[in-house]
Amino acid sequence: MIDLLAAAGSAAAEPPAWTGWVLPLGMLLILWFLILRPQMRQQKQHRERVAGLAKGDEVVTAGGLVGKITKVEDHYVHVELTKGMTVKAVRNTIGEVLSSRDKPAAND
């Protein structure tokens, strides 16, 4: 009787080997679409913003300083915080462009 049960257990079909890869592959796809892809999109937008910086743009640095760009160099920008107070900042530390010189003011 025990031999019959052992024979029946070994005769059961095992699932295909590829089914062991379904869960890890699914987890990687979820990781890609929920975390990595949006992060890459944000990095691309930041690179485009930094590449488009020009004199007259009002910007916010990563440190929270708000000012207007007075000079643009290859790796640096000069940001005027108040009248007569200019700081030199690395281009990549510009976090956001508040207003561009090309866009008219909202009340105009």
Side-chain angles (χ1 to χ4, degrees):
M1 175 105 170
I2 295 176
D3 291 333
L4 289 174
L5 290 175
S10 65
E14 292 186 20
W18 63 268
T19 59
W21 291 95
V22 171
L23 183 62
L25 185 61
M27 290 171 59
L28 286 174
L29 286 174
I30 289 171
L31 176 75
W32 173 262
F33 283 107
L34 293 180
I35 297 174
L36 297 176
R37 191 164 173 227
Q39 177 65 25
M40 290 185 337
R41 189 178 316 127
Q42 287 177 348
Q43 288 175 344
K44 181 180 177 186
Q45 290 172 347
H46 183 259
R47 278 193 308 269
E48 290 171 356
R49 277 195 306 262
V50 168
L53 290 176
K55 183 177 178 179
D57 289 347
E58 190 173 352
V59 296
V60 178
T61 65
L65 300 175
V66 180
K68 191 168 278 202
I69 295 178
T70 57
K71 183 178 178 183
V72 179
E73 297 174 356
D74 289 338
H75 298 290
Y76 300 99
V77 292
H78 294 257
V79 181
E80 183 177 34
L81 302 177
T82 62
K83 194 168 219 138
M85 181 180 180
T86 304
V87 295
K88 187 175 183 179
V90 177
R91 280 181 81 134
N92 288 332
T93 62
I94 302 299
E96 186 177 346
V97 178
L98 296 177
S99 63
S100 180
R101 75 248 174 263
D102 296 334
K103 298 178 187 174
N107 59 359
D108 285 347

